[in-house]
Structures are given as C-alpha cells and as structure tokens.
Amino acid sequence: MKIFTIFVAFFSTLYLFAQSPKLSDDFEVMVGEKYEETDGKIKLFVKYKEAVIAVNRHKDNLVIQKFNPNSLKEIERKDVEKFFKDKRADGIIEMRRMKDNIYLFFSVWDKKNKTSILQYQKISLVDLSITGPKDLIKQKGKIKDGFLLKTTLKEDKLLVKYSLKSEIKNEAKSFEKISVNVFNNNLDLIWKNIIEMPYSKKKMEKMCYAIDSYDNFFMIAKIYNDDSGKDEIGRKLNFFLELFKVSKESDKLVKSKIDNKNKLIEEIILYEDINSNMIITGTTKNPDSKGFFNFTEGHSTGIFVLKLDKKGIIGNYINHDFSLEMLNKYVSKKQEAKNKKIKKDEKEKPFFRNLKIHTIVVNDDGSFLVLGEQYFKDLIISSSGKAQYEAYHYDDIMVAKINADGSLAWMDKLLKRQWGARKGTMSFTHMFSGEKHYLIYLDSEENLNFVDGEVPHKRWETKGGYFTVYIIDDETGQVTKEPIFDTHNVNGVKMEHFDTNKILSLSKSEILLEGFEGKKKDFLIKITAKSD
C-alpha cells in the first residue's frame, strides 16, 4: 500500500453546475417504482427467463426479490428471517449462479470433529424456494488458504480447489497437496483427486487456476531455479512458468513448460474462450527496482497472450508492449519526461502505473478484450492527526483488443479519475451492443469536456456526478465519450448512491442498475443503447 499524509480539513464541498452538459442521444433511461431498500453486504442480480432475481442480505435476513425488467417493478419478495444469524459473515465465501439455481457457499469449521466443511444452500430461480444447508465437501483438519471456487464460461461446471495443511514446516522439504473437485451445475460430483505438487513450496508459486468444458483442471505456476523466491537475480530471469493439467480420465499430472521469452510476469489469467480453447493472458513488467522503495509492483509494460489447443499444446508467446504515445496520455509533464527517459534504457520499458486487469471480454470470433484499470490505496490522515482511513483510487482504463491469432487489433488509454473511502460507486462496467463496446462509470462534470494538457479532476465517491460512457468501435477502436444521466436528477429522481456490483447486463443492448434514493427506498434504472 502507498502511504501518504494528506491534511484534510474539509471534504464536503458544494456540487455546483454552471450549465448542465448535454446528455447522450444514444441511450434511453427508464426509472422504476421505488421499493423497500436492502442494504446488506451481499447482493447478486441475475436475469432468468423473463424476470430479474436479486438475492440480498439485510441485517441477519436473507431477502430474495423478483422484478419485471420491462416495467422495473418489484413483483415478489421473500424475507427469510435470521437466515444469517448462525452464520459468520466471513464464512460466506460467495454466491454463484449455475443454470436454474443460485448457490450460497459457506465455509464452516466443525470444531468437535475437527473438520473443514464447504456447505451450500440452493435458491431455485424457478420458484425462489430455498433448500439446505448441505455439505458439499468435508475435509479432516484445517485447510490452507480456504476454498477457491471457479466456474466454466457457460457456468455449467464448478471447480472447488483447496490445499491440505502440511505437517512439514520446512518449505524446502514440503511438497504441497491440493484437492481438486469438479461438479456439474446440480453440484453432483464429476471427479475429484488429491494432487501432490512436483516441486517444493520453496521452489514454486501457484498463480492461477481454471476448468474447461471438458472437466479438465488447469493450473499455472512459477517455478524458481533456486530457493530464493526471487523472480530475477542480477536482472537475469530466475524462474520459468509451467502449465499443469489433470483430467478426469487420468490421475497423472501433465506438465508443460511455457516459453515466456525471458519476460517478467506481473499478472497472469487463464480462461476459456467461446470455442472451448484455454487462453493464457496477462501483463509483463520491468526488472525490479534496486532502490530503497520498489515501485515496479503493479507497473505493467505490456500484454502477452498464449493459446492452448484442445490437445493442450501451447502456442507461441506473443507480447504487445504499451506504446510511449499511449502511456503519455493524461500524465504530468514530469511523468512524460520520465517515460521518455525510461524508453531510452534498453533494459527497461515505460510502464502503465498501478495497472490491474479488470475484465476479459470474450468475443464470438475468438478475439478478446483485455480491460485494465489503475488501482491503488492511500492512507488519509486528518489535520488533527487523530483520524486516518484508507482511500481507494480507480483511475485510467487500459483497453486492448487481441485478435484470435494473438495479434494486436488496437489499444488505448481512457481517462478516468475516482477516489473515496468506499468502493461502491467506483470502477466501471462493460457492455457490448451493435459491434460497439460500452464502458460505463461515474464521472465528475469537470472531466466531461476534458482538454489534453489539463489536470484531470478526481471525483470523490460520495459526491454524485454523471453516469458516463465510453463508446468503442470493436473493429477500429475509435472512442467517443458521452454523459448518460446526472445522478442528482435521473428522470426527476435523485440517486444518492449505487454500487457497481449491482449492475446487471440484461441483453447486448441493456443494463440494469439499482439506485438508493436516501429515504430507505431503492429503485431500478434501465439503460438501453439505441440501435444505429
């Protein structure tokens, strides 16, 4: 975490409008009737046939709502009182939609029998009935790092992975064992296996996991050449990457070395494309700084991609570095000069600061979008020095389209500045319609007519703003930016706040979000992209 001391005496400034910007003509905005709020810590919206189902937590109660996505009216509500009373909040791993059901997963420690249990309760999307709890996995003793859940692209298979706790404390002599469990959409077990890693804990770092439509388990690991745990020694690469695969037909772990062309890896993601091929993508980085502070973490220099065929054979490593022209957009003159200086160093490349991969968008033709976002945290200290809290920053967006053959179609950097003490209204949502990508987020009025060379305005998360969209042509990468609505006046309704995790894609041209109007009432907003 970055630590800054900022003397803050007063955050509450008035939200003034000299002249309201013209709203986009490319979208229709519809506001629904208000209904009783649900202010819980968890929320999931899903579209099921001709309805929208929301699962919420309100204090200790479970609230299930059914909406009409055309009228935006709440047509059914089910309150299950004290549903969470005997369930610790940190025991709720997550909610997953699989076909006709939503599953709530809970991690439970059976103290009497000294057993780690993964439980679930099923909510039927057909009639909103609830069954369970039922035990999905029971493992004697404590497990390491908790239960990890992954689904396939079609959400019809579930992977549950966890690590067994080792009795050997010396990591140079300890070989980790992981339990792999694959279920269908009804949570019937397809296969399971306990896999012993071929390298000691000291020599390897597990990086990412996935399951494909054929029930195969995949894992990528970083394998060190020694026990130092360092990516490089004297700027010489000290690791290699390996892909592990285990299928239900065989207990054998198959290893494949990944040729990453001596590139340092920042982030790596393994996912399934529309044709059931596994894709490896992620970001690269410069050699680590040798100074007192290491500022290279999160500072990415480019994107890489590898594709596996259905036999598991890994294709060629393809790398796309970020251009200096793109990186110098929306930065200070000082940073621009630094980027140019780094460009002259043959061993380093200019980097995108604090970049984290946000979303991978899978296209029907085998191409895909990598969406990244600048994300970091500050420690804010009041002028008295007594109060301090974390502030989250969600800044510029990186968007790149990679063709099916791994070549680069286009790449861009999009201006965005958000910060605040809670994450709810920040970041962005992706939607695709009519061969155009839409990146939707909340922006300040000052940035709507941003001119290159100006200092961008940061939007504090409690201050409202304009629901704004970047419209990107899928073929050319051409970008336009337009405001959709003002949160202070959404068709006559004031929206106090909303959460980005309460946005649902209804179709390729519609999204639904939930707003809060400040008087214990929520309401739905539907945004429809007009066809050309």
Side-chain angles (χ1 to χ4, degrees):
M1 184 202 305
K2 296 182 179 179
I3 305 295
F4 295 99
T5 302
I6 302 177
F7 294 100
V8 182
F10 183 64
F11 273 125
S12 298
T13 56
L14 293 175
Y15 195 88
L16 300 176
F17 299 92
Q19 184 177 358
S20 297
K22 181 182 181 299
L23 300 181
S24 174
D25 293 325
D26 294 328
F27 297 88
E28 292 180 356
V29 179
M30 178 180 175
V31 177
E33 293 181 357
K34 297 172 186 176
Y35 51 87
E36 207 66 31
E37 71 166 331
T38 54
D39 58 357
K41 294 181 180 179
I42 62 173
K43 185 102 180 188
L44 179 68
F45 275 108
V46 300
K47 186 176 187 296
Y48 183 70
K49 295 184 178 179
E50 301 304 317
V52 168
I53 310 297
V55 180
N56 320 269
R57 177 175 181 169
H58 184 76
K59 298 180 180 178
D60 282 336
N61 298 342
L62 176 71
V63 182
I64 305 171
Q65 298 164 279
K66 187 174 184 179
F67 297 94
N68 183 319
N70 297 315
S71 66
L72 304 187
K73 291 182 179 180
E74 182 186 60
I75 55 179
E76 187 177 349
R77 175 185 286 235
K78 177 180 287 189
D79 286 84
V80 185
E81 294 187 1
K82 300 181 180 180
F83 179 85
F84 295 99
K85 186 173 179 61
D86 298 324
K87 299 179 176 71
R88 290 178 56 194
D90 58 359
I92 304 169
I93 297 178
E94 58 186 274
M95 290 189 285
R96 290 271 178 172
R97 188 262 179 91
M98 298 186 71
K99 297 297 182 182
D100 296 334
N101 301 299
I102 291 175
Y103 295 99
L104 283 75
F105 293 96
F106 303 88
S107 179
V108 177
W109 171 245
D110 183 347
K111 186 176 180 180
K112 181 180 178 181
N113 296 302
K114 296 183 179 179
T115 300
S116 299
I117 304 174
L118 179 65
Q119 291 184 342
Y120 71 91
Q121 290 195 250
K122 182 174 72 174
I123 300 172
S124 169
L125 293 173
V126 178
D127 59 10
L128 308 188
S129 62
I130 305 171
T131 57
K134 294 183 178 180
D135 295 340
L136 186 66
I137 290 175
K138 298 178 76 172
Q139 177 65 52
K140 275 289 185 182
K142 291 278 189 179
I143 64 172
K144 183 183 176 185
D145 301 327
F147 295 101
L148 180 140
L149 280 61
K150 293 276 187 178
T151 53
T152 54
L153 180 67
K154 297 177 182 177
E155 297 182 326
D156 59 351
K157 307 286 178 62
L158 173 72
L159 163 69
V160 179
K161 171 263 167 191
Y162 59 94
S163 298
L164 304 181
K165 198 166 184 180
S166 174
E167 299 297 326
I168 302 173
K169 293 185 178 180
N170 186 344
E171 292 192 347
K173 296 181 180 180
S174 177
F175 290 76
E176 186 173 3
K177 293 180 179 180
I178 64 171
S179 177
V180 175
N181 307 264
V182 181
F183 302 88
N184 65 17
N185 62 281
N186 292 317
L187 297 190
D188 299 319
L189 182 67
I190 299 174
W191 68 275
K192 66 177 181 179
N193 202 348
I194 292 179
I195 305 164
E196 184 173 4
M197 296 294 98
Y199 304 95
S200 70
K201 292 181 182 179
K202 200 79 171 177
K203 281 214 177 235
M204 71 177 290
E205 176 188 342
K206 303 185 299 296
M207 301 188 75
C208 58
Y209 310 89
I211 183 175
D212 68 9
S213 297
Y214 306 104
D215 309 327
N216 298 307
F217 167 74
F218 296 89
M219 182 181 83
I220 294 177
K222 184 184 293 183
I223 314 301
Y224 297 105
N225 295 325
D226 54 30
D227 290 343
S228 68
K230 293 183 178 180
D231 284 0
E232 54 174 334
I233 296 178
R235 290 200 170 185
K236 184 178 180 181
L237 216 62
N238 191 43
F239 74 92
F240 58 92
L241 297 176
E242 274 194 343
L243 174 74
F244 299 160
K245 177 183 176 181
V246 181
S247 65
K248 65 180 178 182
E249 291 83 12
S250 171
D251 292 342
K252 184 180 178 182
L253 186 150
V254 179
K255 300 188 299 180
S256 303
K257 190 172 181 179
I258 299 172
D259 183 6
N260 52 300
K261 305 295 183 184
N262 292 319
K263 287 278 190 178
L264 282 165
I265 305 299
E266 174 62 23
E267 280 190 277
I268 190 165
I269 293 174
L270 182 62
Y271 74 94
E272 186 180 28
D273 72 6
I274 199 71
N275 298 313
S276 300
N277 295 308
M278 297 304 294
I279 308 295
I280 304 170
T281 189
T283 53
T284 53
K285 64 178 180 179
N286 278 320
D288 288 342
S289 169
K290 297 300 182 288
F292 182 73
F293 294 104
N294 181 358
F295 288 115
T296 62
E297 183 180 354
H299 293 355
S300 303
T301 59
I303 297 170
F304 71 90
V305 59
L306 297 121
K307 181 177 284 191
L308 281 66
D309 65 18
K310 289 180 174 60
K311 294 181 179 179
I313 298 174
I314 304 173
N316 293 327
Y317 176 97
I318 302 173
N319 191 80
H320 305 290
D321 289 330
F322 299 138
S323 70
L324 184 63
E325 180 184 9
M326 185 188 83
L327 293 175
N328 281 342
K329 292 174 70 174
Y330 322 127
V331 300
S332 65
K333 294 295 182 183
K334 184 178 180 180
Q335 183 59 47
E336 188 176 333
K338 281 184 178 180
N339 288 343
K340 289 181 180 179
K341 185 177 179 181
I342 294 171
K343 181 71 174 177
K344 294 178 181 179
D345 189 336
E346 294 181 359
K347 296 179 180 179
E348 295 192 6
K349 296 183 180 295
F351 49 81
F352 205 125
R353 289 179 173 272
N354 304 304
L355 183 70
K356 297 293 181 184
I357 294 177
H358 179 283
T359 309
I360 303 294
V361 179
V362 179
N363 292 333
D364 291 342
D365 63 357
S367 66
F368 63 95
L369 257 65
V370 181
L371 294 169
E373 186 175 30
Q374 287 179 305
Y375 168 75
F376 62 96
K377 294 184 288 187
D378 294 337
L379 184 64
I380 305 295
I381 303 175
S382 67
S383 57
S384 66
K386 295 180 180 180
Q388 64 181 40
Y389 56 90
E390 286 184 334
Y392 303 92
H393 295 252
Y394 292 81
D395 288 349
D396 295 341
I397 299 169
M398 184 282 300
V399 55
K401 180 182 177 182
I402 308 296
N403 294 318
D405 63 359
S407 61
L408 178 67
W410 46 262
M411 186 184 292
D412 206 349
K413 178 182 179 182
L414 308 179
L415 172 69
K416 183 169 70 67
R417 294 288 192 277
Q418 299 167 319
W419 75 310
R422 59 186 296 273
K423 301 179 181 181
T425 64
M426 297 185 285
S427 195
F428 65 94
T429 298
H430 170 271
M431 183 174 73
F432 184 70
S433 172
E435 306 307 318
K436 292 181 181 178
H437 298 276
Y438 299 90
L439 306 185
I440 303 170
Y441 68 102
L442 200 57
D443 202 357
S444 63
E445 182 183 4
E446 290 88 340
N447 286 335
L448 294 181
N449 297 309
F450 177 81
V451 178
D452 286 344
E454 294 180 347
V455 177
H457 181 83
K458 274 204 178 255
R459 188 196 70 82
W460 179 254
E461 50 96 6
T462 61
K463 291 302 162 189
Y466 277 80
F467 215 69
T468 305
V469 60
Y470 278 112
I471 306 172
I472 309 171
D473 185 281
D474 181 71
E475 183 177 354
T476 66
Q478 183 178 352
V479 179
T480 57
K481 178 181 176 181
E482 299 178 2
I484 302 176
F485 63 76
D486 175 11
T487 60
H488 290 74
N489 183 3
V490 191
N491 293 4
V493 179
K494 183 177 181 180
M495 184 169 72
E496 286 289 331
H497 66 75
F498 75 98
D499 286 336
T500 52
N501 64 352
K502 297 177 183 178
I503 297 178
L504 170 67
S505 178
L506 290 175
S507 67
K508 284 190 174 182
S509 61
E510 297 173 309
I511 64 167
L512 194 72
L513 65 138
E514 183 181 57
F516 174 63
E517 57 88 71
K519 298 178 181 178
K520 295 186 177 182
K521 295 287 184 180
D522 292 335
F523 57 94
L524 295 181
I525 300 172
K526 183 164 68 174
I527 301 171
T528 304
K530 299 177 183 177
S531 58
D532 294 335

